[in-house]
Amino acid sequence: MSQWEQLLSLRKQGDKHKRLRHEQDETRLGFEVDYDRIVFSSAFRSLQDKTQVIPLSETDFVHTRLTHSLEVSVVGRSLGREVGKALIKKYPDLETHHGYKINDFGAIVAAASIAHDIGNPPFGHSGENALSDYFKHGKGKRFQPEINSQAYQDLCTFEGNANGFKLLTETKNGTIGGLRLSYATLAAFTKYPKASLPYKPTKNVEDKKYGFFQDEENFFHEVAQEVGLEPVKNAGAKRYHRHPLAFLVEAADDICYTIIDFEDGINLGLIPEELALEYLSKIISKRILPEKYAELKTTQNRIAYLRSLAIGELISEAVSIFMENEEAILAGEFHTDLLSQSKYTAQIKDIIEVSVERIYKSQEVMDKEIAGYKILTSMLHDFTSAIENKLSGNETNFDDLVINNFLSHLDFEDMSTEKWLMEVTSYIAAMTDSEALRTYKKLNGNNL
């Protein structure tokens, strides 16, 4: 079996027989089924009301996690197809012997890309920090003696990527394996193929975060072995080198948030329009048609034109970098994101710095992040206290009301402490921004 054939495994959880590419229905390929299942999932729908840039924004055109994820999947599909075209030219047996097509690569990257933010909690990255801080610095520290070190680390460094893997794969309502996605898609989705412990940070991009919680660890090992991910030497069995297509998922996300968050900032009036041409000029210099740009009458149209050119150029750049380093990537010897090797690194850095200062640190964003932090930590405390008191026989009437109104779906009496703590935390993380706000108001008597 060739390395790429194994990496492109169509296997799904519960399969008894190997799925062969040349036996696939060309009208609805297995990797395309992955995309469809993600789109129809409740976890994906919740992204329509989750923060991308500005929490609870009242401006219609600002991106949510949903529109961002759709755009990342479009860029990811293009990246995958371009790389697939080059790989099939380099390894013709993939097509002639095994039946793989250019579009297979695009379908895998698109599916992994559209799911890339599916595990993120409400209120953006401040939501992750709020959930983590409750256990690391807040009242949740009381649970540390009751649970094992990895479960506690999972909670103290709550990770949207790991929660995404949980949402995609957990058995729910009797369905084994959750959405039952192809193992190639699950591996490409996992940008950080490691557990939270042992905590051994390095400068390698795949070590920035972790990709699965304790409960999903055994299943991730099964995925990794099926697609042939290489374990990192001297790191034990909890750490792997990335699936090569994970670099394309990461690049799609990097391209979109760099360019499109910048576009949002300009359309919101947080960044002057003249900075757009100044910062994007070197990226788009080979593509821009000055006469077409001059004909565009509105800021929104001019910025949209520049954005489309910049995304097109960065897609070409990322594909070139991937193929130049393909053998090192396969060998687990490539340890940076693709765009950090780009000739446009300086321009990308400048754009991100402006976005950080003008958008992410704007007063509106910080005010709403503070509110979001308070909402999530307060809710987490009410929920965990209610279950804790119920299990010890010391529940109050309020605890019973909380459980009956919000937590009746959890069979926490049959769960270990680490299990129900993670289920409660993941339940809160699955909420939309508005749902979290409504729940907080109910819990505090402000929603009558």
Side-chain angles (χ1 to χ4, degrees):
M1 181 184 291
S2 71
Q3 192 169 355
W4 270 110
E5 185 205 354
Q6 188 172 4
L7 288 164
L8 299 174
S9 172
L10 282 150
R11 182 183 174 190
K12 298 175 186 286
Q13 190 170 358
D15 282 353
K16 303 298 183 187
H17 305 287
K18 181 178 174 66
R19 292 177 187 246
L20 301 176
R21 175 60 183 88
H22 59 75
E23 295 177 353
Q24 287 279 301
D25 179 355
E26 291 295 336
T27 62
R28 197 157 180 260
L29 181 66
F31 302 132
E32 294 169 342
V33 173
D34 293 344
Y35 188 97
D36 299 347
R37 288 179 175 176
I38 294 163
V39 167
F40 280 99
S41 69
S42 59
F44 180 72
R45 286 197 302 277
S46 74
L47 298 178
Q48 67 187 306
D49 184 23
K50 282 194 174 182
T51 297
Q52 172 61 20
V53 179
I54 297 181
L56 300 169
S57 175
E58 296 175 3
T59 306
D60 289 340
F61 60 74
V62 171
H63 287 78
T64 64
R65 289 279 180 193
L66 182 74
T67 48
H68 168 71
S69 297
L70 288 166
E71 288 165 347
V72 173
S73 76
V74 170
V75 172
R77 184 180 62 216
S78 296
L79 285 166
R81 286 180 177 179
E82 290 292 335
V83 164
K85 183 179 178 180
L87 288 173
I88 284 177
K89 184 178 180 180
K90 185 174 181 179
Y91 307 107
D93 271 7
L94 279 174
E95 183 171 31
T96 57
H97 186 66
H98 300 294
Y100 288 100
K101 306 284 176 58
I102 290 169
N103 285 3
D104 295 356
F105 296 85
I108 294 169
V109 180
S113 295
I114 205 165
H116 82 282
D117 271 349
I118 207 164
N120 282 22
F123 308 111
H125 291 298
S126 69
E128 280 181 325
N129 294 335
L131 297 175
S132 300
D133 283 355
Y134 178 74
F135 293 102
K136 190 173 184 179
H137 304 296
K139 294 178 181 178
K141 288 179 71 174
R142 69 189 187 277
F143 294 108
Q144 184 175 6
E146 300 180 41
I147 61 179
N148 66 56
S149 57
Q150 184 170 331
Y152 188 62
Q153 182 73 4
D154 288 349
L155 292 165
C156 288
T157 55
F158 186 82
E159 175 53 55
N161 289 282
N163 194 46
F165 189 82
K166 171 182 169 64
L167 292 176
L168 294 173
T169 62
E170 65 183 340
T171 296
K172 291 183 74 174
N173 303 321
T175 304
I176 304 297
L179 298 185
R180 291 193 70 238
L181 304 181
S182 304
Y183 284 15
T185 295
L186 289 172
F189 166 84
T190 309
K191 293 188 291 185
Y192 310 105
K194 57 182 278 192
S196 63
L197 287 179
Y199 180 64
K200 293 182 178 179
T202 72
K203 292 182 179 179
N204 296 346
V205 68
E206 65 267 30
D207 284 336
K208 279 171 56 180
K209 302 177 183 180
Y210 65 96
F212 48 86
F213 295 134
Q214 175 182 268
D215 269 3
E216 287 71 51
E217 185 175 312
N218 288 339
F219 179 56
F220 184 80
H221 293 326
E222 181 180 313
V223 171
Q225 288 164 13
E226 168 67 19
V227 301
L229 300 189
E230 287 291 327
V232 176
K233 291 178 181 177
N234 304 317
K238 295 186 176 184
R239 198 168 177 178
Y240 295 86
H241 293 296
R242 272 182 174 177
H243 190 290
L245 298 183
F247 286 96
L248 299 183
V249 175
E250 180 178 58
D253 187 24
D254 290 348
I255 289 169
C256 286
Y257 85 72
T258 299
I259 303 299
I260 297 174
D261 286 4
F262 187 59
E263 178 186 17
D264 273 356
I266 294 164
N267 285 328
L268 285 168
L270 298 172
I271 299 172
E273 181 185 350
E274 54 267 23
L275 284 185
L277 197 54
E278 177 186 342
Y279 280 71
L280 295 174
S281 59
K282 290 185 180 178
I283 298 176
I284 62 175
S285 60
K286 297 176 184 176
R287 294 173 176 255
I288 191 168
L289 300 173
E291 63 280 7
K292 182 174 180 178
Y293 181 76
E295 290 173 359
L296 300 172
K297 303 301 182 187
T298 67
T299 294
Q300 200 164 339
N301 287 343
R302 287 191 292 271
I303 301 308
Y305 176 59
L306 298 179
R307 175 251 299 152
S308 66
L309 297 178
I311 288 176
E313 181 61 24
L314 292 177
I315 287 173
S316 296
E317 182 77 354
V319 170
S320 296
I321 296 165
F322 184 95
M323 291 309 302
E324 287 165 8
N325 295 279
E326 184 250 351
E327 292 177 14
I329 289 171
L330 284 177
E333 296 170 355
F334 188 82
H335 302 300
T336 68
D337 62 278
L338 296 175
L339 291 186
S340 68
Q341 304 298 308
S342 168
K343 58 179 174 284
Y344 302 121
T345 302
Q347 286 75 32
I348 293 168
K349 182 171 178 285
D350 288 344
I351 290 169
I352 291 173
E353 285 180 355
V354 169
S355 294
V356 168
E357 285 302 318
R358 302 290 186 99
I359 307 173
Y360 311 138
K361 290 185 179 179
S362 69
Q363 195 62 51
E364 181 181 3
V365 170
M366 289 193 292
D367 286 347
K368 289 180 177 176
E369 285 187 345
I370 288 170
Y373 196 99
K374 178 69 173 177
I375 288 166
L376 296 189
T377 52
S378 174
M379 191 164 30
L380 189 52
H381 186 64
D382 284 345
F383 287 177
T384 56
S385 296
I387 292 177
E388 185 181 30
N389 293 339
K390 184 73 173 179
L391 290 172
S392 65
N394 296 314
E395 73 272 18
T396 65
N397 287 332
F398 179 73
D399 293 331
D400 282 334
L401 287 168
V402 168
I403 290 169
N404 292 333
N405 274 277
F406 302 107
L407 304 172
S408 59
H409 63 287
L410 284 184
D411 297 322
F412 54 84
E413 292 182 357
D414 296 324
M415 295 179 182
S416 64
T417 303
E418 55 256 36
K419 175 71 172 175
W420 69 254
L421 282 172
M422 181 55 74
E423 290 302 316
V424 168
T425 307
S426 184
Y427 169 61
I428 292 173
M431 290 182 177
T432 66
D433 292 9
S434 297
E435 183 185 2
L437 178 57
R438 285 194 303 271
T439 304
Y440 173 78
K441 286 181 175 179
K442 286 180 184 179
L443 290 167
N444 287 276
N446 296 326
N447 205 34
L448 295 176

